[in-house]
Amino acid sequence: MSILVVGSVALDTVKTPFGERDNALGGSATYFSTSASYFTEVKLVGVVGQDFPKEHVAFLQSKKVDTSGLEITDGETFRWSGKYEFDMNEAKTLDTQLNVFESFQPKIPETHKKPDYLFLANINPELQLEVLNQIEERPKFVACDTMNLWIDIKKPALLDLLKGVDCIILNDGEARMLADVSSLIKAAKEISSFGPSHVIIKKGEHGAIYYEKATGSFFMIPAYPLEEVFDPTGAGDTFAGGFMGYISSQDSTDRETIKQAMIRGTVMASFNVEEFSLDRLATLTHEEIDQRVGLFKEIFRS
Ligand code: AMP
């Protein structure tokens, strides 16, 4: 099975209480595809400018990510700059430069138009919709992400998009904002009424909540108990990559597979936050993932 992901490929400038990094590799599709590549075949669609370092494309290819749908166009690469205070759960966006994304019109290559699984990573929901409309056969499972910026300025497009997806993965602040309620339990139910039959709300170091509309039931998972979080950037996308990657590897979306997928997502995110940018995912091995999945499952044992 394979996954198609469309989202941002970026150069990030990030400041945390433990250090800072300028113009590091980032972007929602970058984190997602690197994480998912540990479980399944990944095809990436996105856009970068002429300034995007070639070694970053080589890095994605070294993870066997198919980058034939990554457009390199005139102009500068999307740039995001953010800052974390001691409470590392929420990034404060300092600057967003859309650059090549301002005129980007996603063109899904013919070879990519019938994906088994589709992930619409965080970008303008109008672009996410354009992608969904180009898909020729309904994928087995379509999931998406979004962020406060789009809930704020593109809510109608986002609500349109949600009618066409099976699952949304978003963080607690975004869920409260989208549903306009304080309780996350109510928010999950409200968001599912917009379309998605599966809703995942991530709560940073407090884990994640899963809501299944069909049964009206919840499943909750803790975060992996890490002592040091160095840079939380990309944790959400890395979670989504592990989650969707595992689903694709099992070719199933039954309840047990979804639980196991949430464990993989949590474990992948826990590695990602240990170092800046994608540095930790660059060296991560399958053995390390398996070992941490085992340790994490011990937490559930009663
Ligand atoms: P996360 O920490 O998982 O929410 O995602 C962080 C990544 O999202 C960073 O690498 C950014 O480049 C990317 N990002 C931030 N703002 C946006 C935006 N408005 N559109 C698309 N990607 C973004």
Side-chain angles (χ1 to χ4, degrees):
M1 293 300 125
S2 71
I3 301 185
L4 173 65
V5 55
V6 185
S8 60
V9 177
L11 295 173
D12 287 348
T13 294
V14 175
K15 194 169 178 193
T16 80
F18 311 109
E20 66 183 283
R21 183 78 80 79
D22 287 345
N23 288 316
L25 176 60
S28 54
T30 313
Y31 281 104
F32 177 92
S33 46
T34 305
S35 174
S37 74
Y38 283 86
F39 302 92
T40 193
E41 248 179 69
V42 188
K43 295 175 175 156
L44 180 154
V45 168
V47 63
V48 291
Q50 301 286 353
D51 58 343
F52 191 65
K54 302 228 175 346
E55 66 260 27
H56 292 339
V57 180
F59 166 72
L60 288 165
Q61 290 168 344
S62 76
K63 295 288 179 189
K64 306 269 185 297
V65 174
D66 179 340
T67 58
S68 59
L70 180 65
E71 221 182 286
I72 302 174
T73 185
D74 287 342
E76 286 193 50
T77 300
F78 172 84
R79 278 176 171 71
W80 176 77
S81 155
K83 182 180 170 188
Y84 299 86
E85 305 290 354
F86 259 107
D87 171 2
M88 301 275 270
N89 274 327
E90 198 157 0
K92 184 170 181 285
T93 294
L94 300 176
D95 190 28
T96 302
Q97 293 172 25
L98 292 177
N99 297 334
V100 290
F101 264 111
E102 278 188 66
S103 54
F104 180 51
Q105 293 194 307
K107 278 182 285 312
I108 308 299
E110 284 305 318
T111 47
H112 293 25
K113 283 189 174 169
K114 294 177 183 170
D116 301 307
Y117 293 89
L118 173 63
F119 187 68
L120 301 162
N122 176 30
I123 40 169
N124 180 344
E126 288 162 353
L127 299 180
Q128 291 173 309
L129 262 172
E130 276 182 40
V131 170
L132 195 56
N133 291 337
Q134 289 177 52
I135 298 301
E136 287 177 352
E137 259 172 38
R138 181 91 178 84
K140 299 180 184 197
F141 195 72
V142 180
C144 76
D145 183 12
T146 192
M147 72 182 295
N148 48 9
L149 172 69
W150 309 123
I151 301 170
D152 200 19
I153 66 172
K154 297 280 176 189
K155 196 162 175 183
L158 180 59
L159 291 178
D160 260 0
L161 175 76
L162 292 184
K163 291 181 194 141
V165 306
D166 302 296
C167 177
I168 180 166
I169 304 175
L170 73 183
N171 71 32
D172 43 3
E174 294 156 354
R176 288 192 172 101
M177 196 175 163
L178 179 58
D180 203 15
V181 288
S182 159
S183 150
L184 290 180
I185 303 301
K186 276 190 182 161
K189 290 184 173 178
E190 177 71 6
I191 293 168
S192 76
S193 79
F194 302 152
S197 42
H198 308 261
V199 177
I200 294 176
I201 302 178
K202 297 161 292 160
K203 301 185 293 164
E205 66 182 314
H206 306 297
I209 298 175
Y210 164 73
Y211 175 66
E212 184 182 46
K213 185 157 64 175
T215 55
S217 59
F218 286 90
F219 168 63
M220 301 197 186
I221 184 171
Y224 185 79
L226 273 186
E227 286 196 22
E228 311 271 2
V229 174
F230 198 70
D231 173 15
T233 310
D237 308 304
T238 309
F239 173 96
F243 175 79
M244 289 292 286
Y246 185 79
I247 282 179
S248 168
S249 74
Q250 302 300 303
D251 195 20
S252 164
T253 53
D254 67 20
R255 203 176 154 77
E256 186 49 36
T257 309
I258 293 222
K259 280 188 185 176
Q260 292 297 327
M262 285 183 68
I263 291 172
R264 295 334 182 266
T266 300
V267 163
M268 292 307 286
S270 76
F271 281 115
N272 181 57
V273 302
E274 288 178 349
E275 290 183 34
F276 262 122
S277 180
L278 284 99
D279 290 1
R280 185 64 183 93
L281 297 188
T283 60
L284 184 63
T285 63
H286 285 278
E287 292 68 33
E288 288 174 313
I289 296 170
D290 292 345
Q291 190 196 22
R292 193 168 283 186
V293 165
L295 289 172
F296 189 50
K297 284 185 175 173
E298 284 296 314
I299 297 174
F300 290 88
R301 214 186 275 245
S302 55

